[in-house]
Amino acid sequence: MKVCELVALLQGVDPHSTVLFLEDYSDLSETDEILDVIVPDQPWTYETGRCGRELYSVRYPETFEQRSEADGYRDVVHTAERVVLLVNGVSNFRRMSLPERPHR
């Protein structure tokens, strides 16, 4: 989902609504409240490819990591993308001292 899609979905919503997070395949009673929003200052890497016979995709805050065919990686593609993190608890983003955009 892109930020513009999220903003469009939230238009007209009661601004005092609580923002919750629901993990894949969770029961509705397993929601967590979003406690923080982090907007990293630097783009993240989105990587897709194959490892062995399996397709994979991963996002990480560092520049792309070169993958070796000797380790079973192939068809690896890297792109840089801006991200927004919705956080429902403590994360290691700030402990890693990664730059972020200040809240307005």
Side-chain angles (χ1 to χ4, degrees):
M1 174 177 278
K2 303 291 183 196
V3 171
C4 62
E5 295 170 310
L6 177 60
V7 169
L9 288 170
L10 293 176
Q11 287 180 354
V13 172
D14 178 352
H16 298 286
S17 298
T18 300
V19 179
L20 300 176
F21 176 76
L22 184 63
E23 187 72 43
D24 261 353
Y25 303 106
S26 294
D27 184 79
L28 292 179
S29 65
E30 299 174 299
T31 60
D32 287 313
E33 184 175 350
I34 297 299
L35 301 176
D36 197 3
V37 176
I38 298 172
V39 182
D41 196 37
Q42 303 297 321
W44 282 32
T45 297
Y46 176 51
E47 176 181 306
T48 60
R50 290 186 171 277
C51 186
R53 294 181 176 196
E54 300 295 320
L55 290 172
Y56 75 94
S57 66
V58 64
R59 288 176 170 87
Y60 48 88
E62 298 88 17
T63 56
F64 76 91
E65 299 175 14
Q66 193 63 43
R67 304 295 184 183
S68 169
E69 285 193 28
D71 292 331
Y73 289 95
R74 57 189 167 79
D75 304 323
V76 177
V77 176
H78 298 98
T79 56
E81 66 180 13
R82 294 282 182 184
V83 300
V84 173
L85 306 174
L86 302 179
V87 183
N88 63 349
V90 177
S91 74
N92 66 351
F93 184 91
R94 292 194 177 106
R95 280 187 260 144
M96 294 174 65
S97 299
L98 298 171
E100 68 181 285
R101 293 184 181 178
H103 293 282
R104 293 182 184 184

